[in-house]
Amino acid sequence: MSVISLQIGQCGNQLGASLLNQLFLECRGTERMGCFFEPAAGATAEKPHSHASSASGLQLEPSPGEGLAKHQPGWYARCCMIDTEPKAIEKARELAVKTPRALPGWRYNPAYQVVGQRGAGNNWAIGFHEHAHNMSEKIQMCVRRACDACDRLAGFLVLMSLAGGTGSGVGTYTCALLRDLYPSVFILCVSVSPYSTGEVIVQNYNAVLALSRLHASSDGVLMLANDGVHKICRQRMALDKISLHNLNEVLAQQLSAVLTPCRVDQPVFRMADMCQHLCSHPDYKLLRLYSLPQLASGRREYSSYLWSGLMHPLCQMLRTSCASEDGIDWSPHTVGSSGVNTRTRSSTYTAVASLLISRGKGSSLVDTSEFQTDASLHCTWAQRPFQAWTCERAMSFSDKVCAVLSNTSACVPALKTFSSMAWRMYTSRAFLHQYTSHGMEESDFLQAFSNVEQTISNYESLQGSTTSIQDMGLT
């Protein structure tokens, strides 16, 4: 079963290129390649005299005196690239893995690209109401072309940002379009949250407008936070100057730990099982990801981990929603005489469901009792809130990797920040004209605030508390 990824906007295309690089390394040489890649022979052929996409203008012509076969990629990614301007798509094509000439690598298929010539100006309304509507027919054709190349479609993986105009606006529209075109196909949206200190002045508007609609059109929304990844790069990778490429590389490794098919002999990513387990209740669709180990590439050969040394910190990261291994807060729990953590105060987060994925030799024998015996980790009404998947094949960057995906109330602080800051701007009527002049009504803002506030209330009810508009300062 195959997964079609959709890279939308600058963030989505850059993160997608890093993720596909990592997935190619993990799946290469196995039957799993067919999950995210298709053989070049089965893709749209490129002419020897002109290997250029008319949309992006990126030349892929062979060098003089060399045969075309050496430059023909062995695989095309099952990926639709969507952006309102060509530079991000060109950059993503350049980031495609560069393997030796004698070995086949992977490339993006020019037939799976939709690109405009004018950006969205970090404005959700421009992306959603203008660009997305104008590009709608091309997006449909692009997705259908990618679907036709699949024997069986497992689902869509949508990569986008919440802060910008293209990622949030066009991304939100695309998810709704996919839901209309393929109502029975699973849609997992990977959304990157902006820095809390601010990247774009209207980022909170964009985030609220996007999340309010993504919750309805997708089966699950995995929220990745730039702040948390930045902390990992600074504390665990010991990087002084942290670039977007560094952030994307860390995110790609974390995502590949959960997206790489567990069966080496089968190209099956169990998106249906994942979404049905984690997001079985329609009111709870927001996911968080935590993974270990977190090591710089130069330190891996000098480091050794036991499975028990990974499971215990990972469980505490899940409890406290800590992104970095160095910043784990151990105070909410104390170790009892039985060696199992016992809850001492109600400052941890509660999950609807969690999925633990362990990869490496001995992963099938890992003790996961701490995740199952701690009643404070999951809500009381969930019947089977915990599952564990294993794969004996190690990842390329570590011989032991464990990651946990959780539908947890840890999303509440970010939602509160987006909502409260956007509401203050709305009540001050700051930048409203930039949205209303591009097809939005003020009632659209109020509906978005109401949807996000309801989501916050739902998740806080997991811990027996509620949040009202007055508590959030939205009056």
Side-chain angles (χ1 to χ4, degrees):
M1 297 181 71
S2 303
V3 175
I4 296 177
S5 57
L6 291 92
Q7 302 175 177
I8 305 175
Q10 180 177 349
C11 175
N13 278 286
Q14 291 179 351
L15 174 58
S18 296
L19 175 59
L20 287 171
N21 269 342
Q22 192 63 48
L23 289 172
F24 184 83
L25 295 177
E26 305 303 339
C27 299
R28 188 172 184 174
T30 69
E31 295 294 328
R32 301 183 295 182
M33 281 293 294
C35 185
F36 293 95
F37 301 87
E38 62 187 33
T44 303
E46 294 178 327
K47 298 179 181 180
H49 62 277
S50 178
H51 297 273
S53 166
S54 59
S56 65
L58 182 67
Q59 298 294 327
L60 297 175
E61 296 180 359
S63 302
E66 295 184 321
L68 176 63
K70 292 184 179 181
H71 291 264
Q72 189 83 352
W75 300 88
Y76 280 134
R78 299 187 189 274
C79 175
C80 298
M81 309 175 75
I82 303 171
D83 203 355
T84 54
E85 50 188 350
K87 62 180 181 181
I89 288 182
E90 292 176 3
K91 182 64 175 179
R93 287 167 62 93
E94 293 173 2
L95 290 175
V97 77
K98 296 179 176 63
T99 54
R101 294 296 176 90
L103 299 175
W106 74 273
R107 295 293 184 271
Y108 288 104
N109 192 335
Y112 301 164
Q113 296 178 16
V114 179
V115 59
Q117 298 297 326
R118 181 175 65 90
N122 295 320
N123 188 317
W124 185 92
I126 296 178
F128 186 89
H129 290 286
E130 295 185 8
H131 286 303
H133 280 278
N134 294 335
M135 301 165 67
S136 176
E137 185 175 348
K138 293 182 179 179
I139 293 174
Q140 292 182 51
M141 293 177 60
C142 179
V143 172
R144 285 171 176 160
R145 192 176 293 120
C147 291
D148 289 342
C150 300
D151 292 331
R152 292 185 63 189
L153 180 60
F156 296 105
L157 180 70
V158 182
L159 304 169
M160 54 180 281
S161 168
L162 294 178
T166 302
S168 64
V170 179
T172 303
Y173 185 96
T174 301
C175 284
L177 185 65
L178 293 175
R179 177 56 66 217
D180 291 338
L181 294 174
Y182 305 93
S184 61
V185 178
F186 287 92
I187 302 173
L188 179 61
C189 179
V190 178
S191 59
V192 181
S193 303
Y195 284 101
S196 57
T197 52
E199 298 178 31
V200 180
I201 189 65
V202 291
Q203 66 182 29
N204 297 296
Y205 275 161
N206 296 336
V208 169
L209 292 168
L211 287 172
S212 68
R213 293 177 181 252
L214 289 175
H215 198 276
S217 60
S218 61
D219 294 284
V221 181
L222 174 54
M223 296 179 63
L224 304 175
N226 275 340
D227 287 317
V229 186
H230 191 97
K231 187 180 296 184
I232 293 173
C233 290
R234 186 181 68 251
Q235 295 179 346
R236 300 298 298 169
M237 308 298 176
L239 297 177
D240 295 328
K241 295 182 179 179
I242 301 174
S243 64
L244 291 176
H245 178 72
N246 298 138
L247 300 179
N248 290 331
E249 288 295 306
V250 173
L251 289 175
Q253 290 185 2
Q254 292 183 342
L255 288 170
S256 65
V258 297
L259 297 178
T260 304
C262 292
R263 290 284 299 274
V264 178
D265 58 338
Q266 292 183 1
V268 178
F269 169 54
R270 298 161 62 182
M271 181 178 286
D273 294 341
M274 178 182 291
C275 292
Q276 288 175 345
H277 169 65
L278 292 172
C279 307
S280 57
H281 196 295
D283 290 341
Y284 303 92
K285 295 184 179 181
L286 303 184
L287 309 177
R288 301 302 290 265
L289 173 61
Y290 311 95
S291 69
L292 289 176
Q294 299 168 350
L295 286 175
S297 57
R299 300 180 181 180
R300 291 169 189 161
E301 58 182 314
Y302 306 106
S303 303
S304 178
Y305 282 90
L306 298 177
W307 284 116
S308 58
L310 294 175
M311 290 296 116
H312 184 49
L314 186 63
C315 189
Q316 187 66 7
M317 291 171 69
L318 175 60
R319 290 189 185 99
T320 60
S321 188
C322 179
S324 174
E325 186 178 359
D326 282 346
I328 297 178
D329 178 15
W330 297 98
S331 58
H333 287 72
T334 58
V335 180
S337 58
S338 62
V340 179
N341 282 357
T342 57
R343 191 168 183 172
T344 60
R345 70 171 185 261
S346 59
S347 60
T348 56
Y349 297 101
T350 304
V352 175
S354 299
L355 172 64
L356 173 67
I357 302 177
S358 306
R359 300 180 185 272
K361 186 175 181 180
S363 60
S364 58
L365 303 176
V366 170
D367 181 11
T368 61
S369 59
E370 186 174 359
F371 290 88
Q372 303 180 61
T373 58
D374 189 349
S376 68
L377 281 176
H378 300 97
C379 59
T380 56
W381 51 262
Q383 295 183 351
R384 298 183 60 186
F386 178 79
Q387 284 189 11
W389 297 354
T390 61
C391 178
E392 290 290 320
R393 184 185 178 100
M395 303 292 285
S396 63
F397 53 88
S398 180
D399 61 344
K400 294 183 180 69
V401 175
C402 54
V404 60
L405 266 175
S406 183
N407 187 342
T408 170
S409 59
C411 64
V412 169
L415 294 181
K416 283 185 175 181
T417 298
F418 297 148
S419 297
S420 60
M421 297 185 71
W423 182 260
R424 293 190 187 102
M425 293 177 63
Y426 177 79
T427 54
S428 301
R429 308 193 65 79
F431 304 103
L432 275 185
H433 65 285
Q434 295 185 8
Y435 288 77
T436 56
S437 61
H438 293 284
M440 282 196 65
E441 302 289 341
E442 292 195 27
S443 59
D444 295 331
F445 278 98
L446 296 177
Q447 184 61 54
F449 285 123
S450 177
N451 293 342
V452 173
E453 188 269 338
Q454 183 60 56
T455 302
I456 293 174
S457 179
N458 292 338
Y459 275 101
E460 288 201 328
S461 68
L462 298 177
Q463 298 176 294
S465 61
T466 58
T467 299
S468 65
I469 287 286
Q470 289 80 8
D471 295 332
M472 292 168 51
L474 303 187
T475 57

